[in-house]
Amino acid sequence: MASESPNIEQSEDQPALETIVSLAKRRGFVYPSAEIYGGFAASYDYGPLGVEIKRQIRDLWWQSMVREREDIVGIEAAIITNPRVWEASGHLDVFSDPLIDCLKCNARIRADHLEGNQCPECGAEDQFTEAREFNLMLRTQVGPVEDDSATAYLRPETAQGMFINFENVQTTTRKRLPFGIAQIGKSFRNEITTKQFIFRTREFEQMEMEFFCRPEESLEWHSYWKKERLRWYYRLGIRSENLRMRDHDAEELSHYSSGTSDIEVRYRWGWGELEGIAHRGDYDLSQHSSHSGKKLTYFDPDTNEHIVPHVIEPAAGVDRILLTLLIDAYNEETTANGETRTVLKLAPEVAPAEIAVLPLSRNERLVPTAKKIHDLIRPHFRSQYDDAQSIGRRYRRQDEIGTPLAVTVDFDTLDDDAVTIRDRDTMEQIRVPINKINESIANRLAELTPHVPEMDEINV
Ligand code: ATP
């Protein structure tokens, strides 16, 4: 067996964003989109490892928001829908960012992103146009005639899908208040500032849930969802010191919101929003009711009254969570024999693979045995098989893509029907019999899964 020495030193600092961008491309998490044509601003394609993490993020969200609950159901609404939806929601009028141009270099900047009075591109001071509002919705034409009546929009959020289907879902599921409707899907915004890799892109994926409740219970539910959503990020293994809850000031609130708290992450460039938890009041149902002429109320069988429920909305972005996981999990360590190794300390549930099966070499007796062992494992765990290059390099590769465990098949395996399981973080190795392999892997992965605090242990 190749022996490795345990780590003696590890960097505490966050990696530079370029380090993450380069790792993402080199290992197949995220590629620049249309790279062979020189790329396309703020567009990215996800590679074989990136799609695995995204799928895990979506599944873990769906699991905790829909499948494990009695009070929430899911839907999938159309991306392009009747433009009147965006009139009613307020997006046509007020979904905009204040835009200014630098008079010296013509750079276009979001006024609310300006720090001080200097142009971030050329450094000129106080030389800007007046701010004007720039609508963020991406427009398209539907049908064969290109006139104004054919204008439609790519949805800028998934939330409206839930509001316009409130009546349908309520009638078909017969849910009583409080209940929620959840959706995962792509949204589009013609963002002006798109730096920081996949943190802000024009096409991105959202996971949103609209929780309808009695108005008098809405503050309580807002506080419940703040805690519950924070717990979910602990489950993903994001370090608690890198997470915080921040309440919006009155002037910061979106047009629909009567109170919003953001779950924020500490990045190198400052704290940034990971998820917004908004109290939307009765804004959306009332708007759609008056614009459509359909009554969107809930009949309360206890009081015999029709009420307009209030809404609490946790809204998260899949791409931003993926970026956060890569940054948060990234470590460079110096081992006792002076080598540096890069390790992504991802929680097993969000690692692209839970386990790698590695024969010690491409020896003709080891390879078929290793493949047989892989066949035992793969129905139960997300796994990879790799026999290219030296075992040391293959360990490094698995460390770098965050695989928590590796099963090594060596010459002793042929005699003792046992394999070695190597731990990514401690590099410790234990020997386990092949007939107990899945049980051993499951136990070890459970030990590596982050502890999630109970609701009453969370202070926000
Ligand atoms: P920001 O202030 O960063 O523009 P926002 O407050 O407009 O975000 P919301 O409308 O609350 O964002 O959207 C909910 C979530 O969707 C965000 O917390 C984020 O994770 C994700 N999201 C929003 N816009 C983008 C984008 N352009 N690219 C990637 N993710 C996004």
PDB file of all heavy atoms in Angstrom, residues 110 189 191 198-202 204 206 208 256 273-276 315-317 319-320, ligand 1:
ATOM      1  N   ARG A 110     -23.945  49.502 -11.906  1.00  0.00           N
ATOM      2  CA  ARG A 110     -25.145  49.599 -11.078  1.00  0.00           C
ATOM      3  C   ARG A 110     -24.881  50.637 -10.003  1.00  0.00           C
ATOM      4  O   ARG A 110     -23.925  50.508  -9.236  1.00  0.00           O
ATOM      5  CB  ARG A 110     -25.425  48.247 -10.426  1.00  0.00           C
ATOM      6  CG  ARG A 110     -26.631  47.549 -11.026  1.00  0.00           C
ATOM      7  CD  ARG A 110     -26.766  46.179 -10.473  1.00  0.00           C
ATOM      8  NE  ARG A 110     -27.440  46.194  -9.161  1.00  0.00           N
ATOM      9  CZ  ARG A 110     -27.900  45.106  -8.572  1.00  0.00           C
ATOM     10  NH1 ARG A 110     -27.762  43.937  -9.151  1.00  0.00           N
ATOM     11  NH2 ARG A 110     -28.481  45.176  -7.394  1.00  0.00           N
ATOM     12  N   ARG A 189     -32.356  36.839 -15.777  1.00  0.00           N
ATOM     13  CA  ARG A 189     -32.332  38.283 -15.510  1.00  0.00           C
ATOM     14  C   ARG A 189     -31.213  38.901 -16.320  1.00  0.00           C
ATOM     15  O   ARG A 189     -30.107  38.352 -16.361  1.00  0.00           O
ATOM     16  CB  ARG A 189     -32.071  38.562 -14.013  1.00  0.00           C
ATOM     17  CG  ARG A 189     -33.163  38.031 -13.132  1.00  0.00           C
ATOM     18  CD  ARG A 189     -32.910  38.313 -11.658  1.00  0.00           C
ATOM     19  NE  ARG A 189     -33.924  37.627 -10.872  1.00  0.00           N
ATOM     20  CZ  ARG A 189     -33.973  37.611  -9.547  1.00  0.00           C
ATOM     21  NH1 ARG A 189     -33.063  38.268  -8.846  1.00  0.00           N
ATOM     22  NH2 ARG A 189     -34.934  36.962  -8.919  1.00  0.00           N
ATOM     23  N   GLU A 191     -28.833  40.818 -16.002  1.00  0.00           N
ATOM     24  CA  GLU A 191     -27.995  41.447 -14.979  1.00  0.00           C
ATOM     25  C   GLU A 191     -26.961  42.362 -15.625  1.00  0.00           C
ATOM     26  O   GLU A 191     -26.429  42.057 -16.691  1.00  0.00           O
ATOM     27  CB  GLU A 191     -27.263  40.385 -14.153  1.00  0.00           C
ATOM     28  CG  GLU A 191     -28.175  39.409 -13.420  1.00  0.00           C
ATOM     29  CD  GLU A 191     -28.653  39.952 -12.082  1.00  0.00           C
ATOM     30  OE1 GLU A 191     -28.365  41.119 -11.751  1.00  0.00           O
ATOM     31  OE2 GLU A 191     -29.344  39.188 -11.366  1.00  0.00           O
ATOM     32  N   ILE A 198     -20.004  32.123 -11.123  1.00  0.00           N
ATOM     33  CA  ILE A 198     -21.419  31.754 -11.181  1.00  0.00           C
ATOM     34  C   ILE A 198     -22.244  32.379 -10.049  1.00  0.00           C
ATOM     35  O   ILE A 198     -23.398  32.014  -9.854  1.00  0.00           O
ATOM     36  CB  ILE A 198     -21.606  30.224 -11.181  1.00  0.00           C
ATOM     37  CG1 ILE A 198     -20.839  29.587 -10.019  1.00  0.00           C
ATOM     38  CG2 ILE A 198     -21.150  29.623 -12.501  1.00  0.00           C
ATOM     39  CD1 ILE A 198     -21.112  28.103  -9.847  1.00  0.00           C
ATOM     40  N   PHE A 199     -21.666  33.330  -9.314  1.00  0.00           N
ATOM     41  CA  PHE A 199     -22.439  33.995  -8.250  1.00  0.00           C
ATOM     42  C   PHE A 199     -23.623  34.747  -8.856  1.00  0.00           C
ATOM     43  O   PHE A 199     -24.723  34.727  -8.322  1.00  0.00           O
ATOM     44  CB  PHE A 199     -21.543  34.970  -7.473  1.00  0.00           C
ATOM     45  CG  PHE A 199     -22.246  35.667  -6.345  1.00  0.00           C
ATOM     46  CD1 PHE A 199     -22.425  35.036  -5.127  1.00  0.00           C
ATOM     47  CD2 PHE A 199     -22.756  36.953  -6.504  1.00  0.00           C
ATOM     48  CE1 PHE A 199     -23.088  35.676  -4.087  1.00  0.00           C
ATOM     49  CE2 PHE A 199     -23.423  37.594  -5.470  1.00  0.00           C
ATOM     50  CZ  PHE A 199     -23.581  36.955  -4.259  1.00  0.00           C
ATOM     51  N   ARG A 200     -23.379  35.453  -9.961  1.00  0.00           N
ATOM     52  CA  ARG A 200     -24.450  36.203 -10.603  1.00  0.00           C
ATOM     53  C   ARG A 200     -24.367  35.980 -12.109  1.00  0.00           C
ATOM     54  O   ARG A 200     -23.415  36.404 -12.752  1.00  0.00           O
ATOM     55  CB  ARG A 200     -24.318  37.687 -10.290  1.00  0.00           C
ATOM     56  CG  ARG A 200     -25.515  38.523 -10.734  1.00  0.00           C
ATOM     57  CD  ARG A 200     -25.293  40.008 -10.510  1.00  0.00           C
ATOM     58  NE  ARG A 200     -24.930  40.318  -9.133  1.00  0.00           N
ATOM     59  CZ  ARG A 200     -25.792  40.313  -8.118  1.00  0.00           C
ATOM     60  NH1 ARG A 200     -27.055  40.059  -8.349  1.00  0.00           N
ATOM     61  NH2 ARG A 200     -25.392  40.582  -6.908  1.00  0.00           N
ATOM     62  N   THR A 201     -25.343  35.304 -12.668  1.00  0.00           N
ATOM     63  CA  THR A 201     -25.355  35.042 -14.108  1.00  0.00           C
ATOM     64  C   THR A 201     -26.715  35.455 -14.664  1.00  0.00           C
ATOM     65  O   THR A 201     -27.625  35.775 -13.902  1.00  0.00           O
ATOM     66  CB  THR A 201     -25.122  33.538 -14.380  1.00  0.00           C
ATOM     67  OG1 THR A 201     -25.993  32.797 -13.530  1.00  0.00           O
ATOM     68  CG2 THR A 201     -23.687  33.142 -14.103  1.00  0.00           C
ATOM     69  N   ARG A 202     -26.849  35.437 -15.984  1.00  0.00           N
ATOM     70  CA  ARG A 202     -28.124  35.896 -16.567  1.00  0.00           C
ATOM     71  C   ARG A 202     -29.131  34.753 -16.620  1.00  0.00           C
ATOM     72  O   ARG A 202     -30.327  34.973 -16.664  1.00  0.00           O
ATOM     73  CB  ARG A 202     -27.865  36.489 -17.955  1.00  0.00           C
ATOM     74  CG  ARG A 202     -26.939  37.693 -17.852  1.00  0.00           C
ATOM     75  CD  ARG A 202     -26.991  38.632 -19.024  1.00  0.00           C
ATOM     76  NE  ARG A 202     -26.218  39.821 -18.706  1.00  0.00           N
ATOM     77  CZ  ARG A 202     -24.931  39.990 -19.019  1.00  0.00           C
ATOM     78  NH1 ARG A 202     -24.270  39.082 -19.712  1.00  0.00           N
ATOM     79  NH2 ARG A 202     -24.295  41.090 -18.655  1.00  0.00           N
ATOM     80  N   PHE A 204     -29.994  31.282 -14.493  1.00  0.00           N
ATOM     81  CA  PHE A 204     -29.634  30.584 -13.256  1.00  0.00           C
ATOM     82  C   PHE A 204     -30.825  29.773 -12.777  1.00  0.00           C
ATOM     83  O   PHE A 204     -31.911  29.862 -13.339  1.00  0.00           O
ATOM     84  CB  PHE A 204     -29.161  31.581 -12.180  1.00  0.00           C
ATOM     85  CG  PHE A 204     -30.162  32.660 -11.875  1.00  0.00           C
ATOM     86  CD1 PHE A 204     -31.014  32.557 -10.780  1.00  0.00           C
ATOM     87  CD2 PHE A 204     -30.278  33.767 -12.696  1.00  0.00           C
ATOM     88  CE1 PHE A 204     -31.954  33.547 -10.507  1.00  0.00           C
ATOM     89  CE2 PHE A 204     -31.217  34.766 -12.432  1.00  0.00           C
ATOM     90  CZ  PHE A 204     -32.047  34.654 -11.338  1.00  0.00           C
ATOM     91  N   GLN A 206     -33.354  28.529  -9.682  1.00  0.00           N
ATOM     92  CA  GLN A 206     -33.857  28.872  -8.356  1.00  0.00           C
ATOM     93  C   GLN A 206     -34.616  27.717  -7.710  1.00  0.00           C
ATOM     94  O   GLN A 206     -35.165  26.856  -8.399  1.00  0.00           O
ATOM     95  CB  GLN A 206     -34.812  30.065  -8.451  1.00  0.00           C
ATOM     96  CG  GLN A 206     -34.104  31.359  -8.812  1.00  0.00           C
ATOM     97  CD  GLN A 206     -35.032  32.549  -8.673  1.00  0.00           C
ATOM     98  OE1 GLN A 206     -36.093  32.558  -9.269  1.00  0.00           O
ATOM     99  NE2 GLN A 206     -34.637  33.549  -7.887  1.00  0.00           N
ATOM    100  N   GLU A 208     -37.587  27.775  -4.975  1.00  0.00           N
ATOM    101  CA  GLU A 208     -38.420  28.696  -4.211  1.00  0.00           C
ATOM    102  C   GLU A 208     -39.647  27.982  -3.661  1.00  0.00           C
ATOM    103  O   GLU A 208     -40.168  27.046  -4.268  1.00  0.00           O
ATOM    104  CB  GLU A 208     -38.877  29.867  -5.092  1.00  0.00           C
ATOM    105  CG  GLU A 208     -37.706  30.674  -5.647  1.00  0.00           C
ATOM    106  CD  GLU A 208     -38.141  32.003  -6.260  1.00  0.00           C
ATOM    107  OE1 GLU A 208     -38.810  31.975  -7.309  1.00  0.00           O
ATOM    108  OE2 GLU A 208     -37.803  33.052  -5.698  1.00  0.00           O
ATOM    109  N   TYR A 256     -42.485  43.987  -3.246  1.00  0.00           N
ATOM    110  CA  TYR A 256     -43.552  43.133  -2.738  1.00  0.00           C
ATOM    111  C   TYR A 256     -43.418  42.825  -1.253  1.00  0.00           C
ATOM    112  O   TYR A 256     -44.274  42.201  -0.667  1.00  0.00           O
ATOM    113  CB  TYR A 256     -43.547  41.799  -3.507  1.00  0.00           C
ATOM    114  CG  TYR A 256     -42.188  41.144  -3.536  1.00  0.00           C
ATOM    115  CD1 TYR A 256     -41.676  40.502  -2.413  1.00  0.00           C
ATOM    116  CD2 TYR A 256     -41.397  41.204  -4.675  1.00  0.00           C
ATOM    117  CE1 TYR A 256     -40.424  39.931  -2.416  1.00  0.00           C
ATOM    118  CE2 TYR A 256     -40.130  40.634  -4.690  1.00  0.00           C
ATOM    119  CZ  TYR A 256     -39.645  40.002  -3.556  1.00  0.00           C
ATOM    120  OH  TYR A 256     -38.400  39.452  -3.564  1.00  0.00           O
ATOM    121  N   GLU A 273     -25.558  37.517  -0.576  1.00  0.00           N
ATOM    122  CA  GLU A 273     -26.814  36.780  -0.346  1.00  0.00           C
ATOM    123  C   GLU A 273     -26.765  35.383  -0.949  1.00  0.00           C
ATOM    124  O   GLU A 273     -26.387  35.202  -2.099  1.00  0.00           O
ATOM    125  CB  GLU A 273     -27.977  37.564  -0.960  1.00  0.00           C
ATOM    126  CG  GLU A 273     -29.280  36.788  -0.934  1.00  0.00           C
ATOM    127  CD  GLU A 273     -30.443  37.520  -1.604  1.00  0.00           C
ATOM    128  OE1 GLU A 273     -30.432  38.753  -1.658  1.00  0.00           O
ATOM    129  OE2 GLU A 273     -31.359  36.806  -2.069  1.00  0.00           O
ATOM    130  N   LEU A 274     -27.173  34.415  -0.143  1.00  0.00           N
ATOM    131  CA  LEU A 274     -27.269  33.039  -0.609  1.00  0.00           C
ATOM    132  C   LEU A 274     -28.738  32.676  -0.801  1.00  0.00           C
ATOM    133  O   LEU A 274     -29.109  31.979  -1.733  1.00  0.00           O
ATOM    134  CB  LEU A 274     -26.638  32.125   0.455  1.00  0.00           C
ATOM    135  CG  LEU A 274     -26.453  30.657   0.149  1.00  0.00           C
ATOM    136  CD1 LEU A 274     -25.594  30.462  -1.089  1.00  0.00           C
ATOM    137  CD2 LEU A 274     -25.798  29.963   1.334  1.00  0.00           C
ATOM    138  N   GLU A 275     -29.551  33.193   0.105  1.00  0.00           N
ATOM    139  CA  GLU A 275     -30.989  32.910   0.062  1.00  0.00           C
ATOM    140  C   GLU A 275     -31.733  34.072   0.706  1.00  0.00           C
ATOM    141  O   GLU A 275     -31.275  34.623   1.699  1.00  0.00           O
ATOM    142  CB  GLU A 275     -31.273  31.607   0.841  1.00  0.00           C
ATOM    143  CG  GLU A 275     -32.721  31.399   1.200  1.00  0.00           C
ATOM    144  CD  GLU A 275     -33.087  29.941   1.468  1.00  0.00           C
ATOM    145  OE1 GLU A 275     -32.282  29.045   1.172  1.00  0.00           O
ATOM    146  OE2 GLU A 275     -34.207  29.715   1.969  1.00  0.00           O
ATOM    147  N   GLY A 276     -32.865  34.441   0.119  1.00  0.00           N
ATOM    148  CA  GLY A 276     -33.702  35.474   0.724  1.00  0.00           C
ATOM    149  C   GLY A 276     -34.930  34.814   1.334  1.00  0.00           C
ATOM    150  O   GLY A 276     -35.521  33.908   0.742  1.00  0.00           O
ATOM    151  N   ALA A 315     -36.228  31.732  -0.850  1.00  0.00           N
ATOM    152  CA  ALA A 315     -35.823  31.667  -2.266  1.00  0.00           C
ATOM    153  C   ALA A 315     -34.316  31.540  -2.364  1.00  0.00           C
ATOM    154  O   ALA A 315     -33.577  32.429  -1.936  1.00  0.00           O
ATOM    155  CB  ALA A 315     -36.280  32.929  -3.000  1.00  0.00           C
ATOM    156  N   ALA A 316     -33.871  30.407  -2.938  1.00  0.00           N
ATOM    157  CA  ALA A 316     -32.422  30.147  -2.998  1.00  0.00           C
ATOM    158  C   ALA A 316     -31.984  29.922  -4.434  1.00  0.00           C
ATOM    159  O   ALA A 316     -32.804  29.655  -5.312  1.00  0.00           O
ATOM    160  CB  ALA A 316     -32.095  28.920  -2.161  1.00  0.00           C
ATOM    161  N   GLY A 317     -30.692  30.023  -4.688  1.00  0.00           N
ATOM    162  CA  GLY A 317     -30.138  29.797  -6.020  1.00  0.00           C
ATOM    163  C   GLY A 317     -29.195  28.600  -6.036  1.00  0.00           C
ATOM    164  O   GLY A 317     -28.260  28.545  -5.236  1.00  0.00           O
ATOM    165  N   ASP A 319     -26.995  27.607  -8.342  1.00  0.00           N
ATOM    166  CA  ASP A 319     -25.635  27.895  -8.807  1.00  0.00           C
ATOM    167  C   ASP A 319     -24.805  28.560  -7.705  1.00  0.00           C
ATOM    168  O   ASP A 319     -23.634  28.258  -7.509  1.00  0.00           O
ATOM    169  CB  ASP A 319     -25.682  28.813 -10.032  1.00  0.00           C
ATOM    170  CG  ASP A 319     -26.742  28.359 -11.020  1.00  0.00           C
ATOM    171  OD1 ASP A 319     -27.950  28.589 -10.785  1.00  0.00           O
ATOM    172  OD2 ASP A 319     -26.374  27.734 -12.020  1.00  0.00           O
ATOM    173  N   ARG A 320     -25.451  29.482  -7.000  1.00  0.00           N
ATOM    174  CA  ARG A 320     -24.746  30.195  -5.931  1.00  0.00           C
ATOM    175  C   ARG A 320     -24.386  29.253  -4.788  1.00  0.00           C
ATOM    176  O   ARG A 320     -23.343  29.382  -4.163  1.00  0.00           O
ATOM    177  CB  ARG A 320     -25.639  31.335  -5.438  1.00  0.00           C
ATOM    178  CG  ARG A 320     -24.847  32.552  -5.080  1.00  0.00           C
ATOM    179  CD  ARG A 320     -25.767  33.692  -4.747  1.00  0.00           C
ATOM    180  NE  ARG A 320     -25.970  34.599  -5.850  1.00  0.00           N
ATOM    181  CZ  ARG A 320     -26.598  35.773  -5.719  1.00  0.00           C
ATOM    182  NH1 ARG A 320     -27.042  36.164  -4.537  1.00  0.00           N
ATOM    183  NH2 ARG A 320     -26.753  36.563  -6.763  1.00  0.00           N
TER     184      ARG A 320
HETATM  185  P1  ATP B   1     -29.093  39.979  -5.616  1.00  0.00           P
HETATM  186  O1  ATP B   1     -29.403  41.066  -4.614  1.00  0.00           O
HETATM  187  O2  ATP B   1     -27.835  39.204  -5.326  1.00  0.00           O
HETATM  188  O3  ATP B   1     -29.229  40.400  -7.047  1.00  0.00           O
HETATM  189  P2  ATP B   1     -31.808  39.196  -5.307  1.00  0.00           P
HETATM  190  O4  ATP B   1     -32.098  39.727  -3.960  1.00  0.00           O
HETATM  191  O5  ATP B   1     -32.278  39.907  -6.506  1.00  0.00           O
HETATM  192  O6  ATP B   1     -30.228  38.888  -5.435  1.00  0.00           O
HETATM  193  P3  ATP B   1     -33.741  37.133  -5.138  1.00  0.00           P
HETATM  194  O7  ATP B   1     -34.647  37.748  -6.103  1.00  0.00           O
HETATM  195  O8  ATP B   1     -34.048  37.180  -3.673  1.00  0.00           O
HETATM  196  O9  ATP B   1     -32.258  37.689  -5.380  1.00  0.00           O
HETATM  197  O10 ATP B   1     -33.469  35.644  -5.613  1.00  0.00           O
HETATM  198  C1  ATP B   1     -33.333  34.558  -4.696  1.00  0.00           C
HETATM  199  C2  ATP B   1     -32.033  33.815  -4.909  1.00  0.00           C
HETATM  200  O11 ATP B   1     -31.816  33.502  -6.276  1.00  0.00           O
HETATM  201  C3  ATP B   1     -30.775  34.606  -4.520  1.00  0.00           C
HETATM  202  O12 ATP B   1     -30.548  34.523  -3.130  1.00  0.00           O
HETATM  203  C4  ATP B   1     -29.709  33.892  -5.296  1.00  0.00           C
HETATM  204  O13 ATP B   1     -29.259  32.718  -4.637  1.00  0.00           O
HETATM  205  C5  ATP B   1     -30.434  33.503  -6.565  1.00  0.00           C
HETATM  206  N1  ATP B   1     -30.131  34.484  -7.621  1.00  0.00           N
HETATM  207  C6  ATP B   1     -30.777  35.654  -7.866  1.00  0.00           C
HETATM  208  N2  ATP B   1     -30.252  36.282  -8.924  1.00  0.00           N
HETATM  209  C7  ATP B   1     -29.233  35.490  -9.372  1.00  0.00           C
HETATM  210  C8  ATP B   1     -28.304  35.580 -10.452  1.00  0.00           C
HETATM  211  N3  ATP B   1     -28.326  36.601 -11.297  1.00  0.00           N
HETATM  212  N4  ATP B   1     -27.405  34.581 -10.603  1.00  0.00           N
HETATM  213  C9  ATP B   1     -27.386  33.525  -9.759  1.00  0.00           C
HETATM  214  N5  ATP B   1     -28.237  33.385  -8.742  1.00  0.00           N
HETATM  215  C10 ATP B   1     -29.153  34.332  -8.533  1.00  0.00           C
END
